[in-house]
Amino acid sequence: MSSQTNLSRRRFGGLLAASFGAAGTPAWAAATQGKGKRMQQPHALIKPARLRDGDLVAIIAPGGFTDEESIAKAQRNIEALGLRASLGANIRAVHGNYAGTVQQRLDDLHAAFRDPDVKAVWAIRGGSGCISLLALLDYALIQRNPKVLIGYSDITALHLAIASQTGLVTFHGPVASSTFSEYTVTQLQNVLMMPQEQYTIPMALDNHRRAQTQPNFAIRTVHGGQATGRLTGGNLCLVSALAGTPYAADFREHILFLEEINEVPYRIDRMLCQLDLSVGFNKAAALMLGIFEHCEAADGDTALTLNDTLDQHLQPLRVPAVSGYSFGHIRHQFTLPMGILATLDADRQTLTLLEPGVC
């Protein structure tokens, strides 16, 4: 443990006494009461129960709106895993680009966590809008009813907020309407249904083959070495958007993982700069970048390549750093339990989960 961490803990006792008023109410709580704001506090890790054959999974749309084809596909995906699917009451709602109003989307998420028969909550898609839910989520309800939450892309906002406010392990993995490959299904099952005490995640062979013609699929070691830390991160746009909020990813001494889609290099550069300025990449245990899909500049543009842009941030680091791992907006992706301990071996280009994400 770093001396900085020890110093913070020694100071904490004095700061705690100063932060309570005469009535015993924390100053931060009084200041934010009724405003939907929460101060980030450390929480013990909570692991949801593993999924078993026949378990009920709630399909919800906390971000972008969906359609009948995607709903049917999501149901088929879940049933193919030996699970049962139920639909959120507002899953067909449309409010602009969103799957209903903020209240409708909140209602479905809260109902899924409140229902004792539901064992997992699976987002049907990402899109946009999850960030609007964060200040209004009932974190106490989620903490009292821990269950599997799965998704990626815009669902990153929920993952990071729930982790910071409850300590619940959630899962960065395919959305329910994804086109599942055999690799994706195997990784889901190994993490959620057949957990191991330690599990080294194999990279997808199909992604390796695509790297022959698409450089963004190539696994690259920018800085070698090994690092152990808890997993945090997700979609770069959302991780950077939450910087400076109570729901931000505090990736100090963590393995920070990032992926992106449809963002040109200069925007990726800006978001990486924001994260580095807000926390500092060298304070992370390691950086693990997934597949950045459709993130090259248009032909003819005067711009750095994607890899040149990433390397501007990765090469100066003193911690292990890799790119091209099998997660992101891609068909063949593995599932990451957020919050658990893992070891990144940049020399062997592996990631090993050191504990199961479910109990």
Side-chain angles (χ1 to χ4, degrees), residues 127 152-154 156 172 216-217 233-241 257-272 274-275 288-296 306 309-310 323-325 327-330:
Y152 77 114
S153 192
D154 197 55
T156 295
H172 183 279
N216 59 314
F217 278 82
N235 178 256
L236 173 60
C237 185
L238 271 298
V239 177
S240 63
F257 66 91
L258 300 168
E259 60 81 27
E260 193 50 88
I261 187 171
N262 294 336
E263 295 286 358
V264 292
Y266 82 87
R267 289 175 59 86
I268 289 172
D269 177 52
R270 183 175 66 206
M271 289 184 280
L272 289 171
Q274 183 177 3
L275 287 179
M288 179 177 71
L289 305 189
I291 307 298
F292 281 52
E293 184 72 320
H294 306 305
C295 290
E296 294 287 2
L306 170 63
T309 301
L310 297 178
S323 68
Y325 274 37
F327 65 93
H329 285 70
I330 54 176

Side-chain angles (χ1 to χ4, degrees), residues 4-331:
Q4 183 179 2
T5 303
N6 288 332
L7 177 60
S8 298
R9 289 184 176 180
R10 287 196 297 270
R11 293 180 59 202
F12 181 72
L15 292 172
L16 183 65
S19 64
F20 278 81
T25 302
W28 64 265
T32 62
Q33 188 173 7
K35 297 182 181 180
K37 299 180 181 178
R38 294 166 177 82
M39 183 176 184
Q40 184 168 332
Q41 298 292 314
H43 293 276
L45 205 66
I46 302 172
K47 295 182 180 181
R50 72 185 66 188
L51 296 184
R52 305 179 187 277
D53 286 349
D55 277 351
L56 185 64
V57 176
I59 305 173
I60 65 169
F65 70 87
T66 189
D67 55 33
E68 291 301 326
E69 182 179 352
S70 296
I71 291 171
K73 186 178 182 182
Q75 290 174 304
R76 291 195 302 270
N77 283 339
I78 289 171
E79 290 166 1
L81 292 169
L83 305 168
R84 295 179 296 123
S86 68
L87 300 176
N90 298 301
I91 198 166
R92 293 179 173 87
V94 178
H95 181 69
N97 291 327
Y98 311 117
T101 63
V102 168
Q103 190 60 53
Q104 286 176 312
R105 289 178 279 140
L106 278 171
D107 287 347
D108 278 6
L109 191 149
H110 288 157
F113 273 95
R114 189 179 296 113
D115 188 340
D117 293 329
V118 169
K119 305 304 179 186
V121 183
W122 206 328
I124 194 167
R125 62 164 296 191
S128 61
C130 287
I131 198 168
S132 301
L133 309 184
L134 304 189
L136 301 171
L137 281 177
D138 188 341
Y139 293 100
L141 169 70
I142 294 170
Q143 194 172 42
R144 289 195 307 269
N145 300 278
K147 53 192 67 178
V148 169
L149 172 68
I150 320 170
Y152 77 114
S153 192
D154 197 55
I155 311 306
T156 295
L158 298 180
H159 290 314
L160 294 178
I162 290 171
S164 70
Q165 304 302 317
T166 72
L168 177 64
V169 174
T170 61
F171 299 85
H172 183 279
V175 292
S177 63
S178 292
T179 299
F180 288 2
S181 69
E182 182 179 349
Y183 173 85
T184 298
V185 169
T186 298
Q187 301 315 310
L188 272 170
Q189 291 173 326
N190 287 348
V191 169
L192 295 173
M193 304 179 79
M194 298 178 290
Q196 304 171 34
E197 289 303 312
Q198 289 194 11
Y199 177 54
T200 298
I201 300 174
M203 299 299 147
L205 290 177
D206 287 88
N207 293 343
H208 176 71
R209 296 187 187 102
R210 291 187 67 176
Q212 309 306 311
T213 56
Q214 296 176 258
N216 59 314
F217 278 82
I219 299 178
R220 301 186 307 127
T221 296
V222 182
H223 272 289
Q226 290 186 354
T228 295
R230 298 196 178 277
L231 291 165
T232 191
N235 178 256
L236 173 60
C237 185
L238 271 298
V239 177
S240 63
L242 288 174
T245 75
Y247 315 105
D250 182 358
F251 52 83
R252 291 172 294 179
E253 300 182 8
H254 284 58
I255 297 174
L256 174 64
F257 66 91
L258 300 168
E259 60 81 27
E260 193 50 88
I261 187 171
N262 294 336
E263 295 286 358
V264 292
Y266 82 87
R267 289 175 59 86
I268 289 172
D269 177 52
R270 183 175 66 206
M271 289 184 280
L272 289 171
C273 282
Q274 183 177 3
L275 287 179
D276 199 12
L277 289 169
S278 64
V279 178
F281 287 146
N282 271 317
K283 294 179 182 177
L287 262 68
M288 179 177 71
L289 305 189
I291 307 298
F292 281 52
E293 184 72 320
H294 306 305
C295 290
E296 294 287 2
D299 290 342
D301 281 2
T302 302
L304 293 174
T305 66
L306 170 63
N307 282 344
D308 285 342
T309 301
L310 297 178
D311 287 354
Q312 284 191 139
H313 296 272
L314 300 183
Q315 285 180 349
L317 299 181
R318 301 183 298 273
V319 299
V322 296
S323 68
Y325 274 37
S326 297
F327 65 93
H329 285 70
I330 54 176
R331 183 181 180 192

